[in-house]
Amino acid sequence: MVRRPVAWVVAVVLLAEAVFIAALNWFLGVVVDRQDMSLAGLDPSTMATSSKIGGIVFGLYFALCALVALLVAIRDRAPAGFGRVLLISAAVVHALLGAFAWGLVGWTAFLFMVVVLGLIVLLLMTYDRDGGAQQAEPGGGADRGGDPRAGNEPAAAPAGAAVPAPRTDGPQDGDDEPQDSVPAQVVTRPAPTTP
């Protein structure tokens, strides 16, 4: 089954991306603070602080998405509720980052973002909405992976119990003579008396 390895890969990639983005933004904040740079008259300390805060926020966001993918891989069940929304938002973010990376960084960053986007979409699409692989249980019905007729049939009699044979009007196996459709009635008459 390919879906669990995909979930593991998505978890590892998103966690690595979270660490990389947090470290990169922190490094840029330190550089701006030490070089006393300014952009359009903004205070350098404000720029450095906002860069560090942005790195921490995006790092925590991607780490949370990685945790959702990790739980999917461990449980082998589809993400539901808030986790599913997080993974969908991560896919949208990677699509937007890929579009910006094409113009700002180059085609290698764009290719990386597209690959991560594809992995997240693959993770979301390979799992059923009901969730993961269904295990077959002994005597399970159609919804548990057992015999599809088992849900409509009555429970089997316990071992050793006498099960009556079905009543039919036709001849049974081993009968030499045909049987009437109406069962014969036995009439006893009194024996004749002699005077």
Side-chain angles (χ1 to χ4, degrees):
M1 196 63 69
V2 73
R3 54 191 176 188
R4 289 190 85 172
V6 168
W8 282 107
V9 169
V10 169
V12 171
V13 169
L14 287 178
L15 186 60
E17 200 172 3
V19 173
F20 175 75
I21 286 179
L24 178 64
N25 278 295
W26 192 273
F27 173 74
L28 290 176
V30 170
V31 169
V32 167
D33 195 26
R34 288 187 180 174
Q35 295 295 324
D36 201 22
M37 297 177 180
S38 178
L39 180 64
L42 294 175
D43 185 26
S45 62
T46 304
M47 291 175 58
T49 305
S50 62
S51 177
K52 292 176 182 177
I53 291 175
I56 292 172
V57 168
F58 268 98
L60 289 176
Y61 167 72
F62 284 121
L64 191 59
C65 293
L67 177 63
V68 171
L70 181 66
L71 291 176
V72 168
I74 291 172
R75 296 176 181 169
D76 197 20
R77 288 192 336 208
F82 183 66
R84 190 173 182 84
V85 171
L86 267 178
L87 289 179
I88 292 172
S89 68
V92 173
V93 166
H94 279 86
L96 293 174
L97 287 177
F100 287 121
W102 178 268
L104 296 176
V105 181
W107 66 270
T108 53
F110 170 77
L111 185 62
F112 174 77
M113 292 298 168
V114 169
V115 167
V116 177
L117 169 65
L119 286 172
I120 295 173
V121 171
L122 185 63
L123 169 65
L124 290 169
M125 297 299 291
T126 52
Y127 278 90
D128 300 332
R129 188 63 185 95
D130 297 332
Q134 297 181 358
Q135 301 294 330
E137 298 178 7
D143 55 345
R144 293 186 182 91
D147 188 2
R149 296 171 296 172
N152 298 330
E153 294 180 356
V163 179
R167 184 176 175 189
T168 60
D169 294 333
Q172 301 292 321
D173 292 337
D175 290 346
D176 295 332
E177 299 176 1
Q179 296 180 351
D180 295 332
S181 59
V182 178
Q185 297 179 356
V186 178
V187 177
T188 58
R189 296 185 182 180
T193 58
T194 58

